[in-house]
Amino acid sequence: MTRNIIAILRGITPAEAAPAAIALVDAGITTIEVPLNSPDPFDSIKAMVDAVGDRAVIGAGTVLSVEDVNRVAQAGGTLIVSPNMDPRVIHATKTAGLQSWPGVMTPTECFAALKNGADGLKIFPGSLLGPDGLKAIRTVMPAGTQIYAVGGAGPENFAQWIAASADGFGIGSALFKPGMSTADIAMRAATIVAAYDAALA
């Protein structure tokens, strides 16, 4: 089963990368991003691709430049997530054949991202817009637009966001914090997967 959850492993190190990725995939989370403000992020991405690239989508978050997009592609990553909506980053991402998920907040940003070729939208920070805000924006979005809530969405409110039409979620600190053991990551991932499945039931 594929779940619409992106694991955001901000602060992970290359040594931790492969074990963490294996734990996440085994728990049922098969999309993973390494924010580029983590230590040696491209090395971590490559380690994850080598470990679980045949079973998971691996990529980068906090991608702010065309150069970063190209480096992610060179590391084997296939997913580009940004906190903002930069047409240059979207174009570079699609030119490289990768998935583009820019951060948006307003209808203007949503439409601009889609016009420039984004595969999906990342509502960020989700806590500012809230489920009601998403519900309002959804009424004007093209049918089939994929919208993920990131920041302020988690196991305690998955159901509210899904009722408001969220297609998926990015989960960060509820899933991973620097220094956390692989066992802890696995346990948290299992809890989040169970909550997600229950919210969809």
Side-chain angles (χ1 to χ4, degrees), residues 133-144:
L134 170 59
K135 196 181 298 182
I137 284 179
R138 177 67 76 178
T139 62
V140 296
M141 287 295 104

Side-chain angles (χ1 to χ4, degrees), residues 6-7 16 21 26 28 30 32 36 45 61 75 103-104 135 138 144 150 170 180 191 199 201:
I6 300 175
E16 299 168 314
D26 287 348
T30 56
I32 304 169
L36 294 187
I45 291 168
V104 295
K135 196 181 298 182
R138 177 67 76 178
V150 182
M180 188 177 287
T191 299

Side-chain angles (χ1 to χ4, degrees), residues 147-193:
I147 304 178
Y148 280 33
V150 182
E156 69 286 348
N157 59 12
F158 279 155
Q160 288 174 271
W161 280 102
I162 290 169
S165 80
D167 295 296
F169 306 95
I171 306 294
S173 58
L175 189 54
F176 173 81
K177 293 177 182 173
M180 188 177 287
S181 71
T182 304
D184 282 343
I185 295 169
M187 184 175 65
R188 289 188 178 213
T191 299
I192 286 166
V193 164

Side-chain angles (χ1 to χ4, degrees), residues 7-199:
I8 303 169
L9 307 185
R10 191 177 307 279
I12 197 161
T13 65
E16 299 168 314
I22 292 167
L24 289 168
V25 172
D26 287 348
I29 296 176
T30 56
T31 306
I32 304 169
E33 74 164 76
V34 178
L36 294 187
N37 54 0
S38 304
D40 303 308
F42 303 105
D43 292 341
S44 291
I45 291 168
K46 185 178 187 310
M48 291 183 182
V49 170
D50 289 346
V52 297
D54 59 335
R55 298 191 288 154
V57 174
I58 308 296
T62 319
V63 180
L64 302 175
S65 71
V66 170
E67 179 188 11
D68 287 340
V69 171
N70 294 332
R71 291 189 68 186
V72 173
Q74 289 166 7
T78 57
L79 173 72
I80 298 293
V81 183
S82 299
N84 61 332
M85 199 292 296
D86 185 335
R88 296 168 301 175
V89 170
I90 298 173
H91 291 158
T93 300
K94 298 316 296 175
T95 298
L98 312 184
Q99 288 188 43
S100 171
W101 288 79
V104 295
M105 178 61 62
T106 65
T108 298
E109 291 174 340
C110 291
F111 281 112
L114 294 173
K115 182 179 180 181
N116 280 284
D119 293 280
L121 306 176
K122 165 188 168 179
I123 297 291
F124 177 78
S127 55
L128 286 183
L129 194 64
D132 287 344
L134 170 59
K135 196 181 298 182
I137 284 179
R138 177 67 76 178
T139 62
V140 296
M141 287 295 104
T145 300
Q146 290 286 299
I147 304 178
Y148 280 33
V150 182
E156 69 286 348
N157 59 12
F158 279 155
Q160 288 174 271
W161 280 102
I162 290 169
S165 80
D167 295 296
F169 306 95
I171 306 294
S173 58
L175 189 54
F176 173 81
K177 293 177 182 173
M180 188 177 287
S181 71
T182 304
D184 282 343
I185 295 169
M187 184 175 65
R188 289 188 178 213
T191 299
I192 286 166
V193 164
Y196 176 86
D197 291 350

